[in-house]
């Protein structure tokens, strides 16, 4: 209490001063390190870009083989070759989605606001969207493998074909569950 009979406010002001203790500084440095650790993923995305280059090379080699042997191929072999090219392309698309979406979501924003070729899906990319797009891509790739098995059913092991159908149905069920879960989560965010 002061001489005037009123409470002394000097003590109150002193107790509300922020303390910059060593533990707060350590915590701030640690949080900066944790946030910077996202850059550990950058080499992983660079490696996926190399894998995509290898897929492009594989595509060109398979296409060249088809061009050279087109006159010797029957329709089934040709169709299998085309499905193989589609398969390689779909895996490359999957890699592109993972690299661009994953980098933009987990590492650093991409400064592409005014780029004319900016993908539309990049405006609303988040981990849930990436998961659904990946699931849809896996279903597409699985569909191609299943179709290859049906086209070449005479040379396909029935047991392998059953496993391909089972795996395809698993991917399909997983994608539906992911989409349903994402829809519920989006609805919850709006409320």
């Amino acid at each position: 209490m002061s001489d005037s009979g009123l409470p002394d406010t000097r003590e109150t002001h002193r107790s509300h001063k922020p303390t910059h203790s060593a533990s707060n500084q350590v915590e701030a440095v640690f949080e900066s390190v944790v946030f910077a650790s996202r850059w550990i993923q950058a080499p992983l995305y660079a490696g996926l870009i190399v894998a995509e280059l290898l897929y492009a090379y594989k595509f060109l080699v398979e296409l060249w083989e088809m061009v050279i042997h087109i006159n010797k191929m029957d329709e089934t072999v040709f169709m299998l070759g085309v499905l193989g090219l589609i398969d390689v392309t779909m895996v490359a698309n999957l890699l592109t989605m993972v690299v661009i979406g994953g980098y933009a979501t987990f590492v650093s924003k991409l400064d592409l606001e005014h780029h004319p070729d900016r993908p539309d899906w990049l405006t609303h990319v988040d981990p849930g969207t990436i998961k659904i797009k990946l699931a849809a891509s896996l279903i597409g790739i699985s569909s191609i493998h299943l179709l290859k098995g049906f086209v070449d059913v005479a040379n396909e092991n029935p047991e392998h074909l059953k496993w391909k159908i089972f795996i395809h149905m698993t991917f399909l069920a997983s994608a539906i569950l992911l989409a349903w879960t994402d829809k519920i989560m989006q609805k919850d965010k709006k409320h």
Side-chain angles (χ1 to χ4, degrees), residues 41-56:
Q41 292 187 38
L44 305 178
Y45 293 117
L48 289 178
I49 293 169
V50 172
E52 198 168 1
L53 286 168
L54 295 173
Y55 259 100

Side-chain angles (χ1 to χ4, degrees), residues 4 12 15 18 37 41 52-53 66 88 90 96-97 117 122 135 150 168:
S4 65
T12 309
S15 64
S37 72
Q41 292 187 38
E52 198 168 1
L53 286 168
M66 287 177 64
V88 169
M90 291 181 80
T96 298
M97 274 193 296
D117 294 329
L122 201 52
F150 289 145
H168 180 73

Side-chain angles (χ1 to χ4, degrees):
M1 282 267 213
S2 70
D3 293 335
S4 65
L6 296 173
D8 191 357
T9 57
R10 287 179 287 180
E11 283 298 316
T12 309
H13 289 299
R14 278 187 216 136
S15 64
H16 290 292
K17 255 187 180 177
T19 58
H20 295 288
S21 69
S23 66
N24 287 348
Q25 290 175 344
V26 169
E27 183 180 2
V29 169
F30 183 72
E31 288 172 357
S32 294
V33 170
V34 167
F35 186 64
S37 72
R38 71 192 191 281
W39 286 99
I40 294 170
Q41 292 187 38
L44 305 178
Y45 293 117
L48 289 178
I49 293 169
V50 172
E52 198 168 1
L53 286 168
L54 295 173
Y55 259 100
Y57 173 77
K58 182 173 174 48
F59 179 93
L60 293 172
V61 168
E62 287 184 22
L63 180 63
W64 181 247
E65 286 295 316
M66 287 177 64
V67 168
I68 292 173
H69 298 107
I70 188 68
N71 291 329
K72 299 174 191 164
M73 288 184 190
D74 64 9
E75 187 177 348
T76 302
V77 173
F78 180 72
M79 189 183 302
L80 288 171
V82 170
L83 290 173
L85 294 177
I86 293 170
D87 187 33
V88 169
T89 303
M90 291 181 80
V91 171
N93 290 342
L94 178 66
L95 286 168
T96 298
M97 274 193 296
V98 170
V99 169
I100 294 173
Y103 182 87
T105 301
F106 301 110
V107 179
S108 181
K109 290 183 179 179
L110 296 171
D111 187 20
L112 301 172
E113 291 301 319
H114 304 293
H115 197 285
D117 294 329
R118 182 174 185 238
D120 290 337
W121 57 267
L122 201 52
T123 58
H124 50 273
V125 70
D126 61 26
T129 305
I130 291 175
K131 285 178 194 173
I132 292 169
K133 288 190 175 295
L134 292 176
S137 293
L138 288 173
I139 289 169
I141 292 166
S142 174
S143 297
I144 295 299
H145 281 265
L146 198 54
L147 185 56
K148 284 167 97 174
F150 289 145
V151 167
D152 197 25
V153 75
N155 297 321
E156 187 74 33
N157 180 338
E159 193 64 29
H160 289 166
L161 200 53
K162 287 178 189 175
W163 275 107
K164 286 180 182 181
I165 292 169
F166 175 75
I167 291 168
H168 180 73
M169 297 306 288
T170 303
F171 283 150
L172 191 58
S174 297
I176 291 168
L177 285 173
L178 276 173
W180 181 64
T181 304
D182 192 56
K183 184 177 181 177
I184 290 172
M185 290 174 65
Q186 294 301 328
K187 189 190 297 186
D188 288 346
K189 284 181 185 177
K190 290 177 184 176
H191 291 296

